[in-house]
């Protein structure tokens, strides 16, 4: 394939998918970056392109996918989309999709914590502020609705966020760094149990 021609395997928007065979270079890259083996990646590749023949998932279509998973909140859908869209081009290619799914389904604690932190870091500045976390936790509480009965320290989003910051914000600067978040989460069984949702 010439240097100026986009690759269908990476889900370029200007190129329609026309082959069910993953390029060897992409396969080897994904074996290294994910927790899937070659056979699983080939199967996922074929399935992805059967469902998404153009080779990428635009942001507009991602909402339909998350709705099938029970996520109907547009804000939460947007957050998840942004975590999947690793190159921030407004669409999710096969490799972006498979890397994120690998983290969510088979990732290490470290990978899942980094993924969750990225979800909370709304402005991508490398920190999570209380306002960001309150906004997300409030949306999650609304989304879960009657599915979860919350009591005591966790009956309101603000209480949960205050507790998280009291435990994690070790330098008391009103924001969480990735390291503070990871260390605090590892010490908190509630947060570690929440990661089991992935």
């Amino acid at each position: 394939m010439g240097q100026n021609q986009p690759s269908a395997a990476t889900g370029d928007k200007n190129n329609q998918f026309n082959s069910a065979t993953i390029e060897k270079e992409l396969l080897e890259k994904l074996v290294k970056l994910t927790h899937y083996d070659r056979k699983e990646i080939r199967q996922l590749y074929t399935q992805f392109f059967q469902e998404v023949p153009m080779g990428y998932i635009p942001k507009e279509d991602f909402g339909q996918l998350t709705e099938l998973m029970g996520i109907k909140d547009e804000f939460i859908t947007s957050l998840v989309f942004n975590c999947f869209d690793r190159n921030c081009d407004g669409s999710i290619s096969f490799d972006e999709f498979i890397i994120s799914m690998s983290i969510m389904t088979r990732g290490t604690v470290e990978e899942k914590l980094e993924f969750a932190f990225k979800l909370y870091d709304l402005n991508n500045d490398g920190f999570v502020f209380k306002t960001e976390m309150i906004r997300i936790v409030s949306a999650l509480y609304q989304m879960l609705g009657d599915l979860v009965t919350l009591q005591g320290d966790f009956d309101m989003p603000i209480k949960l966020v205050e507790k998280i910051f009291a435990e994690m914000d070790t330098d008391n600067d009103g924001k969480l760094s990735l390291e503070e978040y990871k260390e605090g989460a590892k010490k908190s069984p509630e947060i570690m149990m929440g990661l089991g949702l992935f």
Side-chain angles (χ1 to χ4, degrees):
M1 193 173 281
Q3 288 182 334
N4 295 330
Q5 292 180 313
S7 167
T10 57
D12 190 288
K13 294 177 205 171
N14 300 318
N15 195 10
Q16 292 291 324
F17 174 73
N18 59 15
S19 173
T21 306
I22 188 169
E23 293 175 4
K24 184 176 180 168
E25 184 179 312
L26 179 60
L27 177 63
E28 295 308 316
K29 171 186 158 188
L30 293 174
V31 166
K32 290 177 184 168
L33 293 176
T34 69
H35 299 278
Y36 298 120
D37 63 30
R38 285 173 184 79
K39 182 179 179 184
E40 290 170 317
I41 293 170
R42 284 187 188 103
Q43 290 172 339
L44 291 165
Y45 184 84
T46 300
Q47 184 179 355
F48 182 87
F49 282 102
Q50 285 173 348
E51 298 293 325
V52 187
M54 64 186 157
Y56 65 93
I57 304 169
K59 190 168 191 170
E60 308 81 56
D61 295 349
F62 190 72
Q64 296 170 359
L65 179 64
T66 55
E67 240 181 76
L68 293 173
M69 296 186 294
I71 302 172
K72 294 181 173 131
D73 184 279
E74 285 182 37
F75 176 64
I76 299 297
T77 296
S78 180
L79 293 176
V80 175
F81 179 87
N82 293 339
C83 284
F84 274 67
D85 183 17
R86 299 168 79 83
N87 66 0
C88 302
D89 70 350
S91 66
I92 300 169
S93 63
F94 172 72
D95 49 332
E96 289 174 317
F97 183 78
I98 218 68
I99 289 167
S100 295
M101 289 304 296
S102 172
I103 291 168
M104 292 175 65
T105 61
R106 298 183 181 178
T108 65
V109 168
E110 197 81 8
E111 289 170 328
K112 288 182 178 188
L113 286 170
E114 288 174 11
F115 188 88
F117 183 86
K118 185 177 177 190
L119 203 68
Y120 286 119
D121 184 10
L122 297 180
N123 61 1
N124 296 313
D125 65 356
F127 297 98
V128 175
F129 292 86
K130 278 185 189 180
T131 54
E132 292 174 315
M133 191 173 280
I134 288 169
R135 185 169 179 207
I136 294 167
V137 171
S138 296
L140 289 170
Y141 271 47
Q142 281 186 324
M143 186 180 78
L144 294 174
D146 296 331
L147 296 175
V148 179
T149 304
L150 302 163
Q151 301 171 353
D153 288 343
F154 304 115
D155 66 340
M156 293 175 45
I158 187 77
K159 288 182 182 180
L160 176 58
V161 172
E162 290 292 343
K163 180 175 173 36
I164 289 170
F165 268 77
E167 292 178 11
M168 291 187 181
D169 187 12
T170 55
D171 60 6
N172 295 310
D173 63 355
K175 60 187 177 186
L176 300 178
S177 67
L178 176 59
E179 288 309 311
E180 284 177 317
Y181 180 77
K182 288 194 303 192
E183 289 306 310
K186 289 175 184 175
K187 294 176 186 172
S188 174
E190 298 92 8
I191 293 171
M192 294 308 289
M193 283 190 328
L195 288 173
L197 295 173
F198 289 137

